[in-house]
Short mmCIF file of all heavy atoms in Angstrom, two decimals:
data_model
loop_
_atom_site.label_atom_id
_atom_site.label_comp_id
_atom_site.label_asym_id
_atom_site.label_seq_id
_atom_site.Cartn_x
_atom_site.Cartn_y
_atom_site.Cartn_z
N GLU O 147 -7.51 12.24 -11.87
CA GLU O 147 -7.73 12.04 -13.30
C GLU O 147 -8.77 10.94 -13.44
O GLU O 147 -8.62 9.89 -12.84
CB GLU O 147 -6.42 11.58 -14.01
CG GLU O 147 -5.42 12.67 -14.22
CD GLU O 147 -4.17 12.09 -14.90
OE1 GLU O 147 -4.29 11.22 -15.72
OE2 GLU O 147 -3.10 12.56 -14.50
N GLY O 148 -9.82 11.19 -14.17
CA GLY O 148 -10.85 10.16 -14.32
C GLY O 148 -11.69 10.08 -13.09
O GLY O 148 -11.81 11.01 -12.30
N ARG O 149 -12.27 8.88 -12.90
CA ARG O 149 -13.23 8.76 -11.80
C ARG O 149 -12.67 7.88 -10.64
O ARG O 149 -12.24 6.75 -10.88
CB ARG O 149 -14.55 8.10 -12.33
CG ARG O 149 -15.73 8.50 -11.53
CD ARG O 149 -16.99 8.40 -12.31
NE ARG O 149 -17.27 7.03 -12.72
CZ ARG O 149 -18.40 6.69 -13.25
NH1 ARG O 149 -19.38 7.54 -13.37
NH2 ARG O 149 -18.62 5.42 -13.61
N VAL O 150 -12.68 8.45 -9.47
CA VAL O 150 -12.22 7.72 -8.29
C VAL O 150 -13.29 7.81 -7.24
O VAL O 150 -13.76 8.93 -6.87
CB VAL O 150 -10.90 8.37 -7.72
CG1 VAL O 150 -10.47 7.66 -6.49
CG2 VAL O 150 -9.82 8.35 -8.81
N VAL O 151 -13.72 6.69 -6.70
CA VAL O 151 -14.77 6.63 -5.70
C VAL O 151 -14.10 6.60 -4.30
O VAL O 151 -13.20 5.81 -4.05
CB VAL O 151 -15.68 5.39 -5.87
CG1 VAL O 151 -16.69 5.31 -4.72
CG2 VAL O 151 -16.39 5.49 -7.22
N VAL O 152 -14.62 7.48 -3.40
CA VAL O 152 -14.19 7.42 -2.02
C VAL O 152 -15.35 6.82 -1.24
O VAL O 152 -16.40 7.41 -1.17
CB VAL O 152 -13.85 8.82 -1.47
CG1 VAL O 152 -13.42 8.74 -0.03
CG2 VAL O 152 -12.79 9.47 -2.33
N ARG O 153 -15.13 5.63 -0.67
CA ARG O 153 -16.18 4.96 0.10
C ARG O 153 -15.93 5.26 1.58
O ARG O 153 -14.95 4.86 2.17
CB ARG O 153 -16.10 3.48 -0.16
CG ARG O 153 -17.21 2.68 0.57
CD ARG O 153 -17.51 1.41 -0.20
NE ARG O 153 -18.07 1.72 -1.51
CZ ARG O 153 -18.14 0.84 -2.50
NH1 ARG O 153 -17.71 -0.39 -2.35
NH2 ARG O 153 -18.67 1.16 -3.64
N ARG O 154 -16.86 5.98 2.19
CA ARG O 154 -16.72 6.39 3.59
C ARG O 154 -17.10 5.24 4.47
O ARG O 154 -17.72 4.24 4.08
CB ARG O 154 -17.59 7.59 3.81
CG ARG O 154 -17.29 8.82 2.98
CD ARG O 154 -15.91 9.42 3.30
NE ARG O 154 -15.76 10.73 2.83
CZ ARG O 154 -14.66 11.47 2.87
NH1 ARG O 154 -13.59 10.98 3.43
NH2 ARG O 154 -14.62 12.70 2.41
N MET O 155 -16.87 5.43 5.76
CA MET O 155 -17.10 4.42 6.78
C MET O 155 -18.61 4.05 6.81
O MET O 155 -19.00 2.94 7.12
CB MET O 155 -16.72 4.94 8.17
CG MET O 155 -15.24 5.04 8.40
SD MET O 155 -14.55 3.40 8.74
CE MET O 155 -15.08 3.18 10.40
N ASN O 156 -19.45 5.04 6.52
CA ASN O 156 -20.93 4.75 6.57
C ASN O 156 -21.42 4.21 5.25
O ASN O 156 -22.65 4.25 5.00
CB ASN O 156 -21.68 6.02 6.91
CG ASN O 156 -21.35 7.17 5.96
OD1 ASN O 156 -20.63 6.95 4.99
ND2 ASN O 156 -21.83 8.34 6.21
N ASP O 157 -20.47 3.71 4.42
CA ASP O 157 -20.80 3.18 3.08
C ASP O 157 -21.34 4.21 2.15
O ASP O 157 -21.92 3.84 1.11
CB ASP O 157 -21.75 1.99 3.18
CG ASP O 157 -21.04 0.74 3.74
OD1 ASP O 157 -19.83 0.64 3.54
OD2 ASP O 157 -21.72 -0.12 4.35
N HIS O 158 -21.18 5.47 2.51
CA HIS O 158 -21.62 6.53 1.60
C HIS O 158 -20.47 6.75 0.61
O HIS O 158 -19.32 6.91 1.00
CB HIS O 158 -21.88 7.81 2.47
CG HIS O 158 -22.06 9.04 1.55
ND1 HIS O 158 -23.17 9.20 0.81
CD2 HIS O 158 -21.27 10.09 1.35
CE1 HIS O 158 -23.06 10.33 0.17
NE2 HIS O 158 -21.91 10.91 0.51
N ASP O 159 -20.83 6.75 -0.68
CA ASP O 159 -19.81 6.94 -1.74
C ASP O 159 -19.78 8.38 -2.22
O ASP O 159 -20.87 9.01 -2.32
CB ASP O 159 -20.11 6.03 -2.92
CG ASP O 159 -19.75 4.58 -2.61
OD1 ASP O 159 -19.25 4.31 -1.53
OD2 ASP O 159 -20.02 3.73 -3.46
N GLN O 160 -18.65 8.87 -2.53
CA GLN O 160 -18.56 10.13 -3.24
C GLN O 160 -17.32 10.10 -4.17
O GLN O 160 -16.43 9.32 -3.96
CB GLN O 160 -18.44 11.30 -2.27
CG GLN O 160 -17.11 11.45 -1.51
CD GLN O 160 -17.13 12.65 -0.61
OE1 GLN O 160 -17.47 12.56 0.57
NE2 GLN O 160 -16.74 13.80 -1.13
N TYR O 161 -17.38 10.95 -5.21
CA TYR O 161 -16.23 10.97 -6.16
C TYR O 161 -15.20 11.88 -5.56
O TYR O 161 -15.51 12.95 -4.97
CB TYR O 161 -16.73 11.47 -7.48
CG TYR O 161 -17.62 10.47 -8.24
CD1 TYR O 161 -18.89 10.79 -8.62
CD2 TYR O 161 -17.11 9.19 -8.50
CE1 TYR O 161 -19.71 9.89 -9.23
CE2 TYR O 161 -17.94 8.25 -9.12
CZ TYR O 161 -19.22 8.61 -9.52
OH TYR O 161 -19.98 7.68 -10.09
N ALA O 162 -13.97 11.45 -5.75
CA ALA O 162 -12.83 12.24 -5.25
C ALA O 162 -12.73 13.54 -6.08
O ALA O 162 -12.94 13.56 -7.28
CB ALA O 162 -11.51 11.45 -5.37
N GLN O 163 -12.47 14.59 -5.35
CA GLN O 163 -12.25 15.93 -5.98
C GLN O 163 -11.00 16.54 -5.38
O GLN O 163 -10.59 16.18 -4.27
CB GLN O 163 -13.41 16.86 -5.71
CG GLN O 163 -14.74 16.39 -6.34
CD GLN O 163 -15.91 17.29 -5.95
OE1 GLN O 163 -15.90 17.85 -4.86
NE2 GLN O 163 -16.83 17.42 -6.87
N ASN O 164 -10.43 17.47 -6.10
CA ASN O 164 -9.22 18.13 -5.60
C ASN O 164 -9.51 18.78 -4.22
O ASN O 164 -10.58 19.29 -3.97
CB ASN O 164 -8.79 19.26 -6.53
CG ASN O 164 -8.15 18.65 -7.78
OD1 ASN O 164 -7.92 17.43 -7.85
ND2 ASN O 164 -7.86 19.48 -8.78
N GLN O 165 -8.54 18.67 -3.30
CA GLN O 165 -8.60 19.23 -1.97
C GLN O 165 -9.49 18.45 -1.02
O GLN O 165 -9.59 18.85 0.16
CB GLN O 165 -9.08 20.69 -1.99
CG GLN O 165 -8.40 21.62 -2.97
CD GLN O 165 -6.90 21.61 -2.85
OE1 GLN O 165 -6.40 21.65 -1.73
NE2 GLN O 165 -6.23 21.57 -3.99
N LEU O 166 -10.10 17.35 -1.45
CA LEU O 166 -10.90 16.58 -0.52
C LEU O 166 -10.04 16.03 0.57
O LEU O 166 -9.05 15.38 0.34
CB LEU O 166 -11.61 15.44 -1.29
CG LEU O 166 -12.43 14.49 -0.39
CD1 LEU O 166 -13.69 15.15 0.13
CD2 LEU O 166 -12.83 13.24 -1.17
N LEU O 167 -10.47 16.22 1.84
CA LEU O 167 -9.74 15.68 2.97
C LEU O 167 -10.23 14.28 3.21
O LEU O 167 -11.43 14.03 3.38
CB LEU O 167 -10.03 16.52 4.23
CG LEU O 167 -9.08 17.66 4.51
CD1 LEU O 167 -9.54 18.45 5.70
CD2 LEU O 167 -7.64 17.13 4.83
N LEU O 168 -9.29 13.32 3.26
CA LEU O 168 -9.69 11.94 3.49
C LEU O 168 -9.78 11.68 5.00
O LEU O 168 -9.19 12.37 5.77
CB LEU O 168 -8.72 11.01 2.81
CG LEU O 168 -8.69 11.16 1.29
CD1 LEU O 168 -7.57 10.39 0.68
CD2 LEU O 168 -10.03 10.78 0.68
N ARG O 169 -10.55 10.61 5.32
CA ARG O 169 -10.78 10.31 6.75
C ARG O 169 -10.32 8.92 7.06
O ARG O 169 -10.08 8.09 6.18
CB ARG O 169 -12.27 10.41 7.06
CG ARG O 169 -12.86 11.76 6.75
CD ARG O 169 -14.37 11.69 7.10
NE ARG O 169 -15.09 12.75 6.52
CZ ARG O 169 -16.41 12.69 6.20
NH1 ARG O 169 -17.05 11.55 6.39
NH2 ARG O 169 -17.05 13.71 5.66
N HIS O 170 -10.24 8.65 8.36
CA HIS O 170 -9.95 7.26 8.79
C HIS O 170 -10.93 6.31 8.13
O HIS O 170 -12.15 6.55 8.08
CB HIS O 170 -10.15 7.11 10.30
CG HIS O 170 -9.18 7.93 11.11
ND1 HIS O 170 -7.85 7.60 11.17
CD2 HIS O 170 -9.38 8.99 11.91
CE1 HIS O 170 -7.25 8.49 11.94
NE2 HIS O 170 -8.13 9.33 12.41
N GLY O 171 -10.40 5.18 7.64
CA GLY O 171 -11.26 4.15 7.16
C GLY O 171 -11.81 4.37 5.74
O GLY O 171 -12.58 3.53 5.27
N ASP O 172 -11.41 5.44 5.08
CA ASP O 172 -11.87 5.65 3.73
C ASP O 172 -11.27 4.56 2.81
O ASP O 172 -10.12 4.17 2.97
CB ASP O 172 -11.39 6.99 3.17
CG ASP O 172 -12.25 8.17 3.64
OD1 ASP O 172 -13.32 7.87 4.25
OD2 ASP O 172 -11.87 9.31 3.45
N ARG O 173 -12.12 4.08 1.90
CA ARG O 173 -11.69 3.14 0.87
C ARG O 173 -11.67 3.85 -0.45
O ARG O 173 -12.61 4.54 -0.82
CB ARG O 173 -12.60 1.93 0.83
CG ARG O 173 -12.39 1.05 -0.35
CD ARG O 173 -12.96 -0.34 -0.17
NE ARG O 173 -11.95 -1.15 0.54
CZ ARG O 173 -11.77 -2.46 0.23
NH1 ARG O 173 -12.44 -3.02 -0.75
NH2 ARG O 173 -10.85 -3.14 0.88
#
Side-chain angles (χ1 to χ4, degrees):
Chain O
E147 284 178 36
R149 209 157 61 168
V150 178
V151 174
V152 180
R153 182 154 296 162
R154 301 290 197 186
M155 289 281 286
N156 55 7
D157 286 333
H158 170 71
D159 286 356
Q160 71 179 93
Y161 290 122
Q163 294 176 328
N164 288 352
Q165 313 304 320
L166 175 70
L167 268 174
L168 297 172
R169 302 179 196 152
H170 294 292
D172 280 350
R173 166 160 276 220

